[in-house]
Amino acid sequence: MQAVRLFQGYLWYPRGLALDLKTLLPQEVEGARFLLDEVPPPTPFFEDGTPTHTQRFYQVTLLVLTEEPPEALKPLAERVAGVLEPLLQALPPGAVWLLLEDLRPL
């Protein structure tokens, strides 16, 4: 059994925005664990020059425990993306995310 990442990325929002992401987002999506960990901003500034310290950043990881090789998990990743997309779209204005398919063992 191995842990395989399906998606990895960030979610962030302005520090003044009161969000409880643990209640807005699921702990599991299609059998994949949804991990959300607050982290320091990965860069000091956004591309437009805005300081990133004005935002709360979270590292987002979706992973599964499986016997399957990572390349066999593409259909699962597509299903997870289909469920996750509307949940992320429904977050309040100001919440932004960047998630990339990963398909690598941890």
Side-chain angles (χ1 to χ4, degrees):
M1 187 80 60
Q2 66 177 339
V4 176
R5 278 181 281 218
L6 300 179
F7 293 92
Q8 181 86 41
Y10 293 101
L11 186 151
W12 64 94
Y13 60 87
R15 288 197 175 275
L17 185 61
L19 285 184
D20 183 0
L21 295 175
K22 301 271 185 198
T23 61
L24 294 172
L25 296 169
Q27 293 182 3
E28 193 172 297
V29 178
E30 294 287 313
R33 295 286 300 156
F34 186 98
L35 305 176
L36 192 63
D37 298 297
E38 190 163 7
V39 295
T43 62
F45 298 95
F46 290 108
E47 287 182 14
D48 68 357
T50 303
T52 55
H53 76 273
T54 62
Q55 309 286 307
R56 291 185 74 177
F57 274 82
Y58 294 85
Q59 182 172 322
V60 177
T61 307
L62 282 103
L63 65 88
V64 292
L65 295 176
T66 183
E67 297 288 339
E68 298 287 330
E71 58 275 6
L73 298 174
K74 180 74 172 168
L76 175 59
E78 290 171 353
R79 287 194 312 273
V80 168
V83 172
L84 194 56
E85 179 70 20
L87 297 173
L88 293 171
Q89 292 287 347
L91 289 174
V96 182
W97 63 92
L98 173 64
L99 292 178
L100 301 172
E101 188 176 282
D102 200 328
L103 297 179
R104 290 185 295 155
L106 286 174

